[in-house]
Amino acid sequence: MIELEDVAYSYGGAELFSGLSLKLAPGSFHFLTGPSGAGKTTLLKLCYGELLATSGHVMLFEQDAARLDRDQVAMMRRRIGVVHQDCQFLDHLTMRDNVALPLTVSGRSSAFSADLDDLLAWVGLRRQADQLPPQLSGGERQRAALARAVIMSPDVIIADEPTGNIDWEMSQRLLSLLIELNKMGKTILVATHDLNLIRAAKSQVSSRVLRLKDRQLQQAGAEL
Amino acid sequence: MKRLISEATGMVIGDPEAERSVPPTGFTARLTVFTAAAMAFLSVFALALSLATDRLADQWASELAQTSTIRISAPAEQAEAQVAAALRVLETTPGVASARALTDAEQRELLAPWFGPDLPVDRLPIPRLIEVVETSDGFDTTGLRARLQAEVPGAILDDHTRWREPLVDAASRLRLLGWIAIALIIGATGTMITLAAQSALAANAQVIRVMRLVGAEDGYIARAFVRRFTLRALAGALIGAILAGVAILTLPSADTTGGFLTGLGFRGIEWLWLLAIPVLIGVVAFFATRAAALRVLREQS
């Protein structure tokens, strides 16, 4: 689905990582961990086409990301749901409209209105549907971001520190949603420095833990 | 081209969902409406000026081009004979529709603005004048001058060229200036709307980021801005054109003594220009915003 082969990325002349390879198979669950500044967010951005590798190949659904034009990247993003730590909503739209935004931009809003209500109920936000993003708590915003990420029924869900701003109980709830999605066949990649979250997940789902450190991607797990 | 037409159609039909994604921005909205209104107002006046000079040039050209004057300066006792000789020459000249000598009363009337109504024309050595009206083909000026010189030594043919040409030339230049002014105004409108659109796009960088994150194509994001700015420009231009139309209606109406200034305005079908200007400004706004949006989106990718 998503494959990185011998990838390097430099920013401002400094090499963030090099010789990095990663393959996200369909239905797999990956955690990406590592110290702050190691390049986790950059690696995720390479995985959904927001950044281009300095060298090496990034294949998104068997297409070379470097050869895609901006509109083709936009089409790819519809197959990859992204959850950011800071959520990124349009503050003038209600949560319902924000969650439905991927449908709106792809011209499918009316066809999926029933699914939208179900989805809001699934993440426990039906009551908050008509509220504006600034009126919601951090946890509610994260769940809304997850709902928005999955509304197009993407093949892959990428989450960047999704539990960074929320309490443990809410983190557990979000993790349950991600595990549920994985059981539905979605490929999940979660960047986190929360080892407790990884430990909690490992007891519920078969997952692979990758550690980005010293510019290299290593298999982790034994210590967790 | 097909894509442009489709975009323009999409803009007219509208995509409220796309437009709703961009928060309304008061400052750029007001700036665009005001700019378009002011520019439409100025365009209407520049156009009125251009059309007025156009009419004036046509009027001067047609009124003076179809007539000539023969001036006969001769001693009083020979004047009548020379007038008669000149008229005989004119009768046999191809291209002359009619010719007649002005009466003393008509000559007195011509001179009245300068010498008063009681001028004793018959006792003064004033040249006799013959008015010549040409056919549409006109006559051979050089040939007629040569014949007059041979048969009526005191006759001088004045075909008004030396009067007409500078006037027509001045009117043509004024008309050209009017059109240049319109082109500059439209160019300035495009520039101002581009700046306003760029400002709105920069202010909405976060919106663009989110829309890209969820898979919006550049065309979709651009449409949200383009439609909004085009409609604002169109609305502003309509207001400006209507105000300018009202202002022109309040100008004194054209009359024979008022000359050029009182002839400023539109006549008949020319009033349709008041509709054409807002449409033109709308089209300029469409292309200016589209180019700005696509450029900014390219830079932000």
Side-chain angles (χ1 to χ4, degrees), chain B residues 24 55 88 104-105 111 176 178 181 195 211 233 238 251 268 277 290-291:
Chain B
R55 282 194 297 270
R88 276 196 303 277
D104 285 350
L111 295 169
L176 180 67
L195 290 173
M211 289 175 80
L238 267 172
L251 288 175
I277 283 179
R290 185 177 177 278

Side-chain angles (χ1 to χ4, degrees), chain A:
Chain A
M1 280 202 160
I2 295 179
E3 195 170 349
L4 281 67
E5 190 187 330
D6 198 23
V7 164
Y9 187 80
S10 301
Y11 182 76
E15 193 173 66
L16 203 55
F17 46 72
S18 62
L20 192 150
S21 294
L22 169 67
K23 188 171 181 179
L24 298 182
S28 61
F29 198 127
H30 288 78
F31 281 105
L32 177 65
T33 186
S36 296
K40 296 193 294 293
T41 299
T42 301
L43 180 55
L44 295 190
K45 285 182 175 177
L46 289 171
C47 289
Y48 60 85
E50 185 161 337
L51 292 176
L52 289 177
T54 314
S55 68
H57 293 285
V58 176
M59 305 298 287
L60 304 179
F61 304 101
E62 297 173 355
Q63 290 191 63
D64 190 342
R67 293 176 188 275
L68 299 176
D69 63 28
R70 290 197 304 282
D71 285 347
Q72 286 173 317
V73 170
M75 299 308 283
M76 287 291 167
R77 296 244 177 103
R78 296 178 189 180
R79 300 180 66 183
I80 305 172
V82 180
V83 182
H84 273 285
Q85 183 178 4
D86 57 358
C87 299
Q88 298 188 351
F89 290 113
L90 301 182
D91 287 347
H92 65 289
L93 296 183
T94 63
M95 287 317 303
R96 179 192 298 278
D97 290 335
N98 266 290
V99 169
L101 198 58
L103 295 174
T104 309
V105 302
S106 60
R108 288 193 265 175
S109 51
S110 56
F112 285 78
S113 55
D115 292 353
L116 179 60
D117 287 335
D118 289 346
L119 187 59
L120 287 169
W122 178 65
V123 294
L125 289 177
R126 204 160 187 172
R127 242 175 356 98
Q128 294 89 334
D130 294 322
Q131 291 182 2
L132 297 174
Q135 296 172 305
L136 268 62
S137 70
E140 288 170 334
R141 286 162 62 89
Q142 285 294 358
R143 280 184 280 142
L146 182 61
R148 186 182 63 186
V150 301
I151 197 164
M152 292 285 284
S153 192
D155 301 308
V156 181
I157 293 152
I158 294 177
D160 187 5
E161 300 284 4
T163 59
N165 292 327
I166 56 179
D167 58 34
W168 174 244
E169 193 185 338
M170 195 56 74
S171 298
Q172 289 273 54
R173 196 165 167 189
L174 199 68
L175 178 65
S176 301
L177 294 173
L178 286 169
I179 290 170
E180 206 176 319
L181 286 166
N182 180 242
K183 285 178 178 166
M184 290 160 68
K186 307 295 179 192
T187 304
I188 312 282
L189 173 61
V190 180
T192 182
H193 60 265
D194 186 350
L195 298 182
N196 287 330
L197 187 78
I198 299 174
R199 286 189 194 105
K202 283 183 84 71
S203 63
Q204 300 173 61
V205 69
S206 169
S207 60
R208 210 173 147 211
V209 183
L210 305 166
R211 186 174 178 80
L212 187 58
K213 194 182 175 190
D214 300 330
R215 299 193 289 174
Q216 298 295 318
L217 194 61
Q218 304 153 354
Q219 178 87 28
E223 73 274 24
L224 295 170

Side-chain angles (χ1 to χ4, degrees), chain B residues 70 158 188:
Chain B
I70 293 174
D158 178 2

Side-chain angles (χ1 to χ4, degrees), chain B residues 32-48 182 185-186 189 233-245 248 266 273-274 276-282:
Chain B
T32 310
V33 172
F34 175 76
T35 302
M39 293 305 185
F41 191 90
L42 294 174
S43 296
V44 168
F45 272 95
L47 190 63
I182 291 169
I185 290 168
I186 298 294
T189 308
L234 198 59
L238 267 172
I239 294 168
I242 290 169
L243 289 176
I248 282 176
F266 300 101
W273 279 104
L274 285 187
I277 283 179
V279 172
L280 183 62
I281 288 178

